[in-house]
Amino acid sequence: MEIGKTYIVKKNIFKCRVGQIFTLKRCGYQAYYGEYNFVFTDMENKNICVVLRGDNKEDMKIYRCLDEYFEKLDDNTNL
């Protein structure tokens, strides 16, 4: 996933529902905590923060398959 790109939700995950559109504002890895962090903003400029823990099997299953949950929209897509 790329910062600044827009994605549509393909499968319900966390507080995100199918069909919602989000822009990835920030993402990163905090080595001390072993967490992958994502900050999305929706069409109303509300932030949604997602934390996936590296020591949690379910979280890592999601992290490895993010493309199952989010699809990048074309830069030419009219919203």
mmCIF file of all heavy atoms in Angstrom, residues 12-51:
data_model
loop_
_atom_site.group_PDB
_atom_site.id
_atom_site.type_symbol
_atom_site.label_atom_id
_atom_site.label_comp_id
_atom_site.label_asym_id
_atom_site.label_seq_id
_atom_site.Cartn_x
_atom_site.Cartn_y
_atom_site.Cartn_z
ATOM 1 N N ASN A 12 -14.981 -6.397 4.506
ATOM 2 C CA ASN A 12 -15.076 -5.726 5.802
ATOM 3 C C ASN A 12 -13.864 -6.056 6.656
ATOM 4 O O ASN A 12 -13.467 -7.224 6.762
ATOM 5 C CB ASN A 12 -16.338 -6.155 6.549
ATOM 6 C CG ASN A 12 -17.593 -5.671 5.891
ATOM 7 O OD1 ASN A 12 -17.582 -4.755 5.070
ATOM 8 N ND2 ASN A 12 -18.708 -6.280 6.240
ATOM 9 N N ILE A 13 -13.278 -5.018 7.235
ATOM 10 C CA ILE A 13 -12.123 -5.197 8.109
ATOM 11 C C ILE A 13 -12.084 -4.031 9.089
ATOM 12 O O ILE A 13 -12.292 -2.878 8.692
ATOM 13 C CB ILE A 13 -10.816 -5.289 7.291
ATOM 14 C CG1 ILE A 13 -9.634 -5.551 8.194
ATOM 15 C CG2 ILE A 13 -10.599 -4.077 6.436
ATOM 16 C CD1 ILE A 13 -8.342 -5.853 7.459
ATOM 17 N N PHE A 14 -11.894 -4.327 10.359
ATOM 18 C CA PHE A 14 -11.859 -3.313 11.407
ATOM 19 C C PHE A 14 -13.121 -2.457 11.330
ATOM 20 O O PHE A 14 -14.210 -2.980 11.301
ATOM 21 C CB PHE A 14 -10.588 -2.468 11.315
ATOM 22 C CG PHE A 14 -9.336 -3.298 11.224
ATOM 23 C CD1 PHE A 14 -8.528 -3.263 10.109
ATOM 24 C CD2 PHE A 14 -8.984 -4.137 12.269
ATOM 25 C CE1 PHE A 14 -7.391 -4.038 10.031
ATOM 26 C CE2 PHE A 14 -7.844 -4.923 12.192
ATOM 27 C CZ PHE A 14 -7.053 -4.868 11.074
ATOM 28 N N LYS A 15 -12.959 -1.142 11.260
ATOM 29 C CA LYS A 15 -14.116 -0.241 11.169
ATOM 30 C C LYS A 15 -14.444 0.089 9.717
ATOM 31 O O LYS A 15 -15.287 0.938 9.449
ATOM 32 C CB LYS A 15 -13.817 1.051 11.922
ATOM 33 C CG LYS A 15 -13.621 0.866 13.399
ATOM 34 C CD LYS A 15 -13.256 2.171 14.058
ATOM 35 C CE LYS A 15 -12.974 1.957 15.526
ATOM 36 N NZ LYS A 15 -12.520 3.198 16.164
ATOM 37 N N CYS A 16 -13.808 -0.568 8.784
ATOM 38 C CA CYS A 16 -13.989 -0.298 7.352
ATOM 39 C C CYS A 16 -15.000 -1.276 6.770
ATOM 40 O O CYS A 16 -14.935 -2.469 7.031
ATOM 41 C CB CYS A 16 -12.662 -0.437 6.619
ATOM 42 S SG CYS A 16 -11.311 0.499 7.347
ATOM 43 N N ARG A 17 -15.907 -0.759 5.955
ATOM 44 C CA ARG A 17 -16.953 -1.584 5.345
ATOM 45 C C ARG A 17 -16.805 -1.593 3.833
ATOM 46 O O ARG A 17 -16.314 -0.630 3.230
ATOM 47 C CB ARG A 17 -18.346 -1.060 5.727
ATOM 48 C CG ARG A 17 -18.608 -1.094 7.215
ATOM 49 C CD ARG A 17 -18.679 -2.538 7.727
ATOM 50 N NE ARG A 17 -18.643 -2.592 9.168
ATOM 51 C CZ ARG A 17 -17.711 -3.226 9.874
ATOM 52 N NH1 ARG A 17 -16.723 -3.841 9.285
ATOM 53 N NH2 ARG A 17 -17.755 -3.252 11.180
ATOM 54 N N VAL A 18 -17.241 -2.682 3.220
ATOM 55 C CA VAL A 18 -17.166 -2.845 1.767
ATOM 56 C C VAL A 18 -17.713 -1.601 1.071
ATOM 57 O O VAL A 18 -18.775 -1.094 1.437
ATOM 58 C CB VAL A 18 -17.950 -4.101 1.319
ATOM 59 C CG1 VAL A 18 -18.067 -4.168 -0.192
ATOM 60 C CG2 VAL A 18 -17.286 -5.363 1.851
ATOM 61 N N GLY A 19 -16.961 -1.120 0.099
ATOM 62 C CA GLY A 19 -17.388 0.021 -0.697
ATOM 63 C C GLY A 19 -16.897 1.367 -0.189
ATOM 64 O O GLY A 19 -16.937 2.353 -0.919
ATOM 65 N N GLN A 20 -16.440 1.418 1.057
ATOM 66 C CA GLN A 20 -15.917 2.687 1.569
ATOM 67 C C GLN A 20 -14.613 3.021 0.852
ATOM 68 O O GLN A 20 -13.872 2.136 0.443
ATOM 69 C CB GLN A 20 -15.660 2.625 3.071
ATOM 70 C CG GLN A 20 -16.908 2.699 3.904
ATOM 71 C CD GLN A 20 -16.574 2.712 5.380
ATOM 72 O OE1 GLN A 20 -15.982 1.781 5.895
ATOM 73 N NE2 GLN A 20 -16.958 3.789 6.053
ATOM 74 N N ILE A 21 -14.352 4.321 0.725
ATOM 75 C CA ILE A 21 -13.153 4.791 0.039
ATOM 76 C C ILE A 21 -12.277 5.523 1.046
ATOM 77 O O ILE A 21 -12.761 6.388 1.798
ATOM 78 C CB ILE A 21 -13.523 5.699 -1.143
ATOM 79 C CG1 ILE A 21 -14.305 4.873 -2.161
ATOM 80 C CG2 ILE A 21 -12.281 6.325 -1.763
ATOM 81 C CD1 ILE A 21 -14.882 5.675 -3.303
ATOM 82 N N PHE A 22 -11.000 5.160 1.078
ATOM 83 C CA PHE A 22 -10.045 5.742 2.006
ATOM 84 C C PHE A 22 -8.763 6.123 1.283
ATOM 85 O O PHE A 22 -8.395 5.506 0.285
ATOM 86 C CB PHE A 22 -9.670 4.735 3.104
ATOM 87 C CG PHE A 22 -10.801 4.402 4.021
ATOM 88 C CD1 PHE A 22 -11.530 3.249 3.834
ATOM 89 C CD2 PHE A 22 -11.123 5.229 5.069
ATOM 90 C CE1 PHE A 22 -12.577 2.926 4.678
ATOM 91 C CE2 PHE A 22 -12.172 4.922 5.918
ATOM 92 C CZ PHE A 22 -12.896 3.764 5.727
ATOM 93 N N THR A 23 -8.076 7.115 1.837
ATOM 94 C CA THR A 23 -6.743 7.476 1.383
ATOM 95 C C THR A 23 -5.781 7.115 2.504
ATOM 96 O O THR A 23 -6.042 7.415 3.674
ATOM 97 C CB THR A 23 -6.647 8.984 1.068
ATOM 98 O OG1 THR A 23 -7.579 9.278 0.035
ATOM 99 C CG2 THR A 23 -5.251 9.357 0.599
ATOM 100 N N LEU A 24 -4.680 6.461 2.154
ATOM 101 C CA LEU A 24 -3.669 6.111 3.140
ATOM 102 C C LEU A 24 -2.816 7.346 3.407
ATOM 103 O O LEU A 24 -2.130 7.838 2.523
ATOM 104 C CB LEU A 24 -2.806 4.955 2.637
ATOM 105 C CG LEU A 24 -1.721 4.478 3.595
ATOM 106 C CD1 LEU A 24 -2.318 3.993 4.918
ATOM 107 C CD2 LEU A 24 -0.910 3.368 2.949
ATOM 108 N N LYS A 25 -2.901 7.872 4.628
ATOM 109 C CA LYS A 25 -2.163 9.085 4.989
ATOM 110 C C LYS A 25 -0.772 8.769 5.518
ATOM 111 O O LYS A 25 0.182 9.465 5.210
ATOM 112 C CB LYS A 25 -2.928 9.878 6.039
ATOM 113 C CG LYS A 25 -4.190 10.522 5.498
ATOM 114 C CD LYS A 25 -4.813 11.411 6.520
ATOM 115 C CE LYS A 25 -4.137 12.754 6.426
ATOM 116 N NZ LYS A 25 -4.855 13.817 7.114
ATOM 117 N N ARG A 26 -0.675 7.736 6.372
ATOM 118 C CA ARG A 26 0.609 7.365 6.958
ATOM 119 C C ARG A 26 0.631 5.870 7.194
ATOM 120 O O ARG A 26 -0.398 5.247 7.441
ATOM 121 C CB ARG A 26 0.807 8.046 8.320
ATOM 122 C CG ARG A 26 1.022 9.521 8.282
ATOM 123 C CD ARG A 26 1.477 10.073 9.636
ATOM 124 N NE ARG A 26 0.651 9.649 10.763
ATOM 125 C CZ ARG A 26 -0.366 10.355 11.256
ATOM 126 N NH1 ARG A 26 -0.714 11.489 10.705
ATOM 127 N NH2 ARG A 26 -1.034 9.922 12.299
ATOM 128 N N CYS A 27 1.819 5.317 7.139
ATOM 129 C CA CYS A 27 2.002 3.933 7.543
ATOM 130 C C CYS A 27 3.440 3.772 8.016
ATOM 131 O O CYS A 27 4.319 4.547 7.634
ATOM 132 C CB CYS A 27 1.662 2.947 6.434
ATOM 133 S SG CYS A 27 2.744 2.976 5.018
ATOM 134 N N GLY A 28 3.662 2.789 8.846
ATOM 135 C CA GLY A 28 5.007 2.570 9.343
ATOM 136 C C GLY A 28 5.069 1.386 10.275
ATOM 137 O O GLY A 28 4.064 0.742 10.575
ATOM 138 N N TYR A 29 6.275 1.118 10.733
ATOM 139 C CA TYR A 29 6.526 -0.005 11.629
ATOM 140 C C TYR A 29 7.243 0.518 12.862
ATOM 141 O O TYR A 29 8.238 1.233 12.740
ATOM 142 C CB TYR A 29 7.381 -1.056 10.927
ATOM 143 C CG TYR A 29 7.735 -2.227 11.801
ATOM 144 C CD1 TYR A 29 6.767 -3.156 12.159
ATOM 145 C CD2 TYR A 29 9.030 -2.410 12.266
ATOM 146 C CE1 TYR A 29 7.082 -4.233 12.971
ATOM 147 C CE2 TYR A 29 9.353 -3.489 13.064
ATOM 148 C CZ TYR A 29 8.375 -4.402 13.421
ATOM 149 O OH TYR A 29 8.685 -5.469 14.219
ATOM 150 N N GLN A 30 6.719 0.203 14.031
ATOM 151 C CA GLN A 30 7.367 0.571 15.283
ATOM 152 C C GLN A 30 8.066 -0.667 15.829
ATOM 153 O O GLN A 30 7.435 -1.566 16.379
ATOM 154 C CB GLN A 30 6.347 1.089 16.287
ATOM 155 C CG GLN A 30 5.743 2.410 15.896
ATOM 156 C CD GLN A 30 4.831 2.955 16.990
ATOM 157 O OE1 GLN A 30 4.842 2.496 18.126
ATOM 158 N NE2 GLN A 30 4.039 3.945 16.630
ATOM 159 N N ALA A 31 9.380 -0.710 15.649
ATOM 160 C CA ALA A 31 10.160 -1.889 16.019
ATOM 161 C C ALA A 31 10.060 -2.201 17.513
ATOM 162 O O ALA A 31 9.968 -3.368 17.898
ATOM 163 C CB ALA A 31 11.613 -1.703 15.605
ATOM 164 N N TYR A 32 10.066 -1.180 18.343
ATOM 165 C CA TYR A 32 10.033 -1.401 19.792
ATOM 166 C C TYR A 32 8.789 -2.182 20.206
ATOM 167 O O TYR A 32 8.841 -3.072 21.031
ATOM 168 C CB TYR A 32 10.100 -0.060 20.522
ATOM 169 C CG TYR A 32 10.105 -0.197 22.029
ATOM 170 C CD1 TYR A 32 11.272 -0.554 22.700
ATOM 171 C CD2 TYR A 32 8.939 -0.002 22.776
ATOM 172 C CE1 TYR A 32 11.285 -0.692 24.079
ATOM 173 C CE2 TYR A 32 8.945 -0.134 24.149
ATOM 174 C CZ TYR A 32 10.118 -0.479 24.798
ATOM 175 O OH TYR A 32 10.124 -0.627 26.164
ATOM 176 N N TYR A 33 7.657 -1.831 19.614
ATOM 177 C CA TYR A 33 6.392 -2.496 19.951
ATOM 178 C C TYR A 33 6.065 -3.647 18.997
ATOM 179 O O TYR A 33 5.168 -4.429 19.270
ATOM 180 C CB TYR A 33 5.237 -1.484 19.916
ATOM 181 C CG TYR A 33 5.381 -0.391 20.932
ATOM 182 C CD1 TYR A 33 5.762 0.883 20.545
ATOM 183 C CD2 TYR A 33 5.140 -0.630 22.274
ATOM 184 C CE1 TYR A 33 5.890 1.905 21.481
ATOM 185 C CE2 TYR A 33 5.276 0.377 23.226
ATOM 186 C CZ TYR A 33 5.656 1.642 22.810
ATOM 187 O OH TYR A 33 5.791 2.634 23.737
ATOM 188 N N GLY A 34 6.752 -3.717 17.866
ATOM 189 C CA GLY A 34 6.463 -4.755 16.882
ATOM 190 C C GLY A 34 5.110 -4.558 16.230
ATOM 191 O O GLY A 34 4.376 -5.515 15.985
ATOM 192 N N GLU A 35 4.771 -3.297 15.943
ATOM 193 C CA GLU A 35 3.460 -2.977 15.384
ATOM 194 C C GLU A 35 3.570 -2.308 14.019
ATOM 195 O O GLU A 35 4.446 -1.476 13.799
ATOM 196 C CB GLU A 35 2.713 -2.016 16.315
ATOM 197 C CG GLU A 35 2.379 -2.597 17.653
ATOM 198 C CD GLU A 35 1.742 -1.579 18.582
ATOM 199 O OE1 GLU A 35 1.834 -0.362 18.326
ATOM 200 O OE2 GLU A 35 1.140 -2.024 19.571
ATOM 201 N N TYR A 36 2.649 -2.692 13.141
ATOM 202 C CA TYR A 36 2.493 -2.040 11.842
ATOM 203 C C TYR A 36 1.322 -1.069 11.984
ATOM 204 O O TYR A 36 0.234 -1.473 12.392
ATOM 205 C CB TYR A 36 2.205 -3.073 10.753
ATOM 206 C CG TYR A 36 3.333 -4.046 10.558
ATOM 207 C CD1 TYR A 36 3.419 -5.196 11.328
ATOM 208 C CD2 TYR A 36 4.323 -3.805 9.611
ATOM 209 C CE1 TYR A 36 4.470 -6.092 11.157
ATOM 210 C CE2 TYR A 36 5.365 -4.690 9.432
ATOM 211 C CZ TYR A 36 5.434 -5.831 10.211
ATOM 212 O OH TYR A 36 6.488 -6.705 10.045
ATOM 213 N N ASN A 37 1.563 0.198 11.683
ATOM 214 C CA ASN A 37 0.553 1.230 11.876
ATOM 215 C C ASN A 37 0.123 1.829 10.546
ATOM 216 O O ASN A 37 0.961 2.115 9.694
ATOM 217 C CB ASN A 37 1.114 2.352 12.758
ATOM 218 C CG ASN A 37 1.493 1.837 14.125
ATOM 219 O OD1 ASN A 37 0.626 1.471 14.893
ATOM 220 N ND2 ASN A 37 2.778 1.801 14.412
ATOM 221 N N PHE A 38 -1.185 2.034 10.412
ATOM 222 C CA PHE A 38 -1.759 2.644 9.215
ATOM 223 C C PHE A 38 -2.746 3.716 9.654
ATOM 224 O O PHE A 38 -3.526 3.497 10.582
ATOM 225 C CB PHE A 38 -2.516 1.604 8.379
ATOM 226 C CG PHE A 38 -1.655 0.470 7.913
ATOM 227 C CD1 PHE A 38 -1.481 -0.657 8.708
ATOM 228 C CD2 PHE A 38 -1.025 0.525 6.693
ATOM 229 C CE1 PHE A 38 -0.684 -1.697 8.288
ATOM 230 C CE2 PHE A 38 -0.224 -0.513 6.257
ATOM 231 C CZ PHE A 38 -0.054 -1.633 7.046
ATOM 232 N N VAL A 39 -2.714 4.856 8.985
ATOM 233 C CA VAL A 39 -3.701 5.906 9.225
ATOM 234 C C VAL A 39 -4.369 6.201 7.889
ATOM 235 O O VAL A 39 -3.705 6.596 6.927
ATOM 236 C CB VAL A 39 -3.066 7.192 9.801
ATOM 237 C CG1 VAL A 39 -4.137 8.266 9.977
ATOM 238 C CG2 VAL A 39 -2.373 6.901 11.125
ATOM 239 N N PHE A 40 -5.676 5.966 7.848
ATOM 240 C CA PHE A 40 -6.483 6.220 6.664
ATOM 241 C C PHE A 40 -7.367 7.428 6.938
ATOM 242 O O PHE A 40 -7.726 7.695 8.079
ATOM 243 C CB PHE A 40 -7.399 5.031 6.355
ATOM 244 C CG PHE A 40 -6.683 3.778 5.971
ATOM 245 C CD1 PHE A 40 -6.377 2.816 6.926
ATOM 246 C CD2 PHE A 40 -6.329 3.543 4.659
ATOM 247 C CE1 PHE A 40 -5.737 1.647 6.577
ATOM 248 C CE2 PHE A 40 -5.683 2.372 4.295
ATOM 249 C CZ PHE A 40 -5.382 1.427 5.257
ATOM 250 N N THR A 41 -7.758 8.120 5.902
ATOM 251 C CA THR A 41 -8.763 9.173 6.028
ATOM 252 C C THR A 41 -9.886 8.854 5.050
ATOM 253 O O THR A 41 -9.634 8.395 3.944
ATOM 254 C CB THR A 41 -8.159 10.578 5.780
ATOM 255 O OG1 THR A 41 -9.148 11.547 6.066
ATOM 256 C CG2 THR A 41 -7.682 10.753 4.375
ATOM 257 N N ASP A 42 -11.116 9.067 5.504
ATOM 258 C CA ASP A 42 -12.253 8.773 4.628
ATOM 259 C C ASP A 42 -12.639 10.024 3.837
ATOM 260 O O ASP A 42 -11.962 11.048 3.897
ATOM 261 C CB ASP A 42 -13.437 8.209 5.427
ATOM 262 C CG ASP A 42 -14.042 9.185 6.422
ATOM 263 O OD1 ASP A 42 -13.702 10.388 6.388
ATOM 264 O OD2 ASP A 42 -14.869 8.749 7.236
ATOM 265 N N MET A 43 -13.714 9.937 3.110
ATOM 266 C CA MET A 43 -14.150 11.034 2.245
ATOM 267 C C MET A 43 -14.584 12.267 3.043
ATOM 268 O O MET A 43 -14.672 13.354 2.508
ATOM 269 C CB MET A 43 -15.281 10.571 1.325
ATOM 270 C CG MET A 43 -14.899 9.419 0.400
ATOM 271 S SD MET A 43 -13.528 9.791 -0.691
ATOM 272 C CE MET A 43 -14.332 10.864 -1.849
ATOM 273 N N GLU A 44 -14.859 12.088 4.337
ATOM 274 C CA GLU A 44 -15.258 13.202 5.202
ATOM 275 C C GLU A 44 -14.087 13.702 6.040
ATOM 276 O O GLU A 44 -14.272 14.423 7.014
ATOM 277 C CB GLU A 44 -16.412 12.762 6.097
ATOM 278 C CG GLU A 44 -17.652 12.368 5.322
ATOM 279 C CD GLU A 44 -18.701 11.709 6.213
ATOM 280 O OE1 GLU A 44 -18.427 11.433 7.398
ATOM 281 O OE2 GLU A 44 -19.801 11.466 5.700
ATOM 282 N N ASN A 45 -12.872 13.287 5.684
ATOM 283 C CA ASN A 45 -11.634 13.652 6.385
ATOM 284 C C ASN A 45 -11.574 13.167 7.828
ATOM 285 O O ASN A 45 -10.937 13.782 8.671
ATOM 286 C CB ASN A 45 -11.377 15.161 6.316
ATOM 287 C CG ASN A 45 -10.941 15.584 4.939
ATOM 288 O OD1 ASN A 45 -10.273 14.825 4.229
ATOM 289 N ND2 ASN A 45 -11.324 16.768 4.530
ATOM 290 N N LYS A 46 -12.242 12.068 8.119
ATOM 291 C CA LYS A 46 -12.143 11.437 9.435
ATOM 292 C C LYS A 46 -11.045 10.381 9.360
ATOM 293 O O LYS A 46 -11.000 9.595 8.416
ATOM 294 C CB LYS A 46 -13.460 10.778 9.826
ATOM 295 C CG LYS A 46 -14.581 11.762 10.051
ATOM 296 C CD LYS A 46 -15.857 11.050 10.418
ATOM 297 C CE LYS A 46 -17.015 12.015 10.515
ATOM 298 N NZ LYS A 46 -18.290 11.339 10.674
ATOM 299 N N ASN A 47 -10.172 10.388 10.354
ATOM 300 C CA ASN A 47 -9.075 9.426 10.378
ATOM 301 C C ASN A 47 -9.498 8.103 10.998
ATOM 302 O O ASN A 47 -10.260 8.079 11.966
ATOM 303 C CB ASN A 47 -7.891 9.973 11.172
ATOM 304 C CG ASN A 47 -7.143 11.054 10.422
ATOM 305 O OD1 ASN A 47 -7.278 11.187 9.210
ATOM 306 N ND2 ASN A 47 -6.360 11.817 11.125
ATOM 307 N N ILE A 48 -8.975 7.032 10.444
ATOM 308 C CA ILE A 48 -9.139 5.702 11.009
ATOM 309 C C ILE A 48 -7.735 5.136 11.173
ATOM 310 O O ILE A 48 -6.965 5.066 10.210
ATOM 311 C CB ILE A 48 -9.979 4.789 10.102
ATOM 312 C CG1 ILE A 48 -11.406 5.317 10.048
ATOM 313 C CG2 ILE A 48 -9.933 3.353 10.592
ATOM 314 C CD1 ILE A 48 -12.381 4.463 9.302
ATOM 315 N N CYS A 49 -7.387 4.782 12.402
ATOM 316 C CA CYS A 49 -6.067 4.232 12.701
ATOM 317 C C CYS A 49 -6.179 2.721 12.852
ATOM 318 O O CYS A 49 -7.091 2.221 13.511
ATOM 319 C CB CYS A 49 -5.523 4.825 13.982
ATOM 320 S SG CYS A 49 -5.352 6.610 13.923
ATOM 321 N N VAL A 50 -5.253 2.011 12.237
ATOM 322 C CA VAL A 50 -5.223 0.554 12.299
ATOM 323 C C VAL A 50 -3.845 0.145 12.796
ATOM 324 O O VAL A 50 -2.829 0.616 12.282
ATOM 325 C CB VAL A 50 -5.488 -0.071 10.905
ATOM 326 C CG1 VAL A 50 -5.341 -1.577 10.958
ATOM 327 C CG2 VAL A 50 -6.864 0.322 10.400
ATOM 328 N N VAL A 51 -3.819 -0.725 13.799
ATOM 329 C CA VAL A 51 -2.562 -1.244 14.327
ATOM 330 C C VAL A 51 -2.603 -2.761 14.215
ATOM 331 O O VAL A 51 -3.537 -3.409 14.690
ATOM 332 C CB VAL A 51 -2.367 -0.834 15.806
ATOM 333 C CG1 VAL A 51 -1.110 -1.468 16.378
ATOM 334 C CG2 VAL A 51 -2.321 0.678 15.939
#
